[in-house]
Amino acid sequence: NGLFGGQSGYLVEVFDDTAQQKYLRLISSYNAELEGEVEAKLEHIQEMQDKIIIGISDIVESRDNSTGGHVKRTSEAIRIFMDELEKESAEFHLTKKYVESVIKAAPMHDLGKIAVEDYILKKPGRYTEDEFQLMKVHAAVGAKIVEKALNGVEDDAFMEVAKNMAHYHHEKWNGKGYPEGLAGRRIPLEARIMALADVFDALVSKRCYKEKYSYDEAFQIIEESLGSHFDPELGQAFLRCRKGLEDY
């Protein structure tokens, strides 16, 4: 204070930050554009993955004499079914992500058939008991294939849904299915859902060992199988899909 005679003051610096603000706006715009490009690329990659999965499923199915178009039809049946279940999401505790996962995983449910010998898949008639035992391996093998294909590519929740659909879609509510003989709610929900769409398509489609059933016959068989083959609550919801399935 003595040096300046007891006087004090402020130093005010004025500068033009127009260039800096312009730079910050450019950075913000670039980041937004980059995020948009990354999102678009991720969507494109996801679409490619989905198409590859469906393509592989179609190739596997082409080896099977009796199930032409099964992958496409069951996938659409699942979409129709999930639309119905989504209306009752509170009862079944379904999230939007879960619904999307089941729809996306549906084409992979029979991937395990790639491990089944041609002489069985291409047999123009019913299986013997021994042949049927060999066919059954496709469920467990399918789960392993799905896990290897999706590990590190998809999130764990989706991979679990896809594995369960492949592994357990031949289980029955009464415990008399395969490969594990699970019963009731021990069968994962997504597998119980897949079972209904899978059997429905088998019933209304012509196979080398049978003629196709009418819709009346198919829905009657499913209704009579609620509580034995199928989850009774899910089965009732599936019956309500009749119009949508017939329209498709």
Side-chain angles (χ1 to χ4, degrees), residues 21-70:
Q21 291 298 322
K22 184 177 180 181
Y23 172 73
L24 291 174
R25 285 195 299 270
L26 283 172
I27 289 293
S28 178
S29 175
Y30 174 76
N31 286 339
E33 185 178 339
L34 187 60
E35 286 176 7
E37 288 181 2
V38 169
E39 187 174 336
K41 287 186 182 298
L42 287 174
E43 287 180 3
H44 180 62
I45 290 170
Q46 192 66 63
E47 284 180 16
M48 287 178 62
Q49 288 175 346
D50 294 347
K51 287 180 179 179
I52 288 170
I53 286 169
I54 292 172
I56 292 171
S57 301
D58 285 339
I59 290 169
V60 172
E61 184 183 60
S62 70
R63 296 177 56 233
D64 191 334
N65 269 355
S66 65
T67 61
H70 177 71

Side-chain angles (χ1 to χ4, degrees), residues 6 11 23 27 37 49 54 59 72 99 112 122 124 127 139 143 150 152 168 175 184 197 200 216 218-219 228 235:
L11 176 65
Y23 172 73
I27 289 293
E37 288 181 2
Q49 288 175 346
I54 292 172
I59 290 169
K72 182 178 179 181
V99 169
K122 295 182 178 297
Y127 297 132
L150 299 182
Y168 301 118
F200 170 74
D216 283 340
F219 280 104
S228 56

Side-chain angles (χ1 to χ4, degrees), residues 70-88:
H70 177 71
V71 167
K72 182 178 179 181
R73 291 192 304 270
T74 51
S75 296
E76 190 58 31
I78 286 290
R79 188 181 302 279
I80 293 166
F81 191 13
M82 296 311 291
D83 284 345
E84 178 64 29
L85 291 179
E86 214 170 1
K87 298 173 189 175
E88 307 167 34

Side-chain angles (χ1 to χ4, degrees), residues 198-214:
D198 192 45
V199 172
F200 170 74
D201 183 66
L203 290 171
V204 299
S205 302
K206 178 179 171 59
R207 296 287 173 89
C208 61
Y209 53 85
K210 76 168 189 68
E211 293 299 319
K212 64 182 179 181
Y213 289 99
S214 69

Side-chain angles (χ1 to χ4, degrees), residues 106-238:
M108 294 183 272
H109 75 279
D110 269 343
L111 279 182
K113 285 185 176 179
I114 198 169
V116 179
E117 296 284 354
D118 276 348
Y119 81 90
I120 294 176
L121 279 181
K122 295 182 178 297
K123 182 178 179 178
R126 288 189 175 277
Y127 297 132
T128 65
E129 183 57 35
D130 288 343
E131 289 167 343
F132 185 50
Q133 292 303 319
L134 292 172
M135 169 59 87
K136 286 181 179 181
V137 305
H138 82 274
V141 171
K144 292 177 182 176
I145 291 172
V146 167
E147 183 173 22
K148 287 181 179 179
L150 299 182
N151 191 26
V153 176
E154 295 283 358
D155 64 73
D156 290 344
F158 173 72
M159 185 171 72
E160 193 66 19
V161 167
K163 278 173 55 183
N164 286 340
M165 290 174 79
H167 201 169
Y168 301 118
H169 67 282
H170 286 294
E171 300 288 358
K172 295 182 179 181
W173 185 258
N174 61 11
K176 296 182 179 179
Y178 68 87
E180 304 294 337
L182 301 181
R185 288 184 172 80
R186 288 187 61 209
I187 306 167
L189 176 62
E190 50 270 22
R192 286 179 266 149
I193 290 169
M194 190 70 236
L196 281 153
D198 192 45
V199 172
F200 170 74
D201 183 66
L203 290 171
V204 299
S205 302
K206 178 179 171 59
R207 296 287 173 89
C208 61
Y209 53 85
K210 76 168 189 68
E211 293 299 319
K212 64 182 179 181
Y213 289 99
S214 69
Y215 287 107
D216 283 340
E217 292 170 322
F219 280 104
Q220 182 181 348
I221 289 170
I222 288 175
E223 187 169 12
E224 291 173 351
S225 301
L226 301 186
S228 56
H229 190 146
F230 306 113
D231 178 329
E233 293 180 5
L234 283 176
Q236 287 295 340
F238 188 79

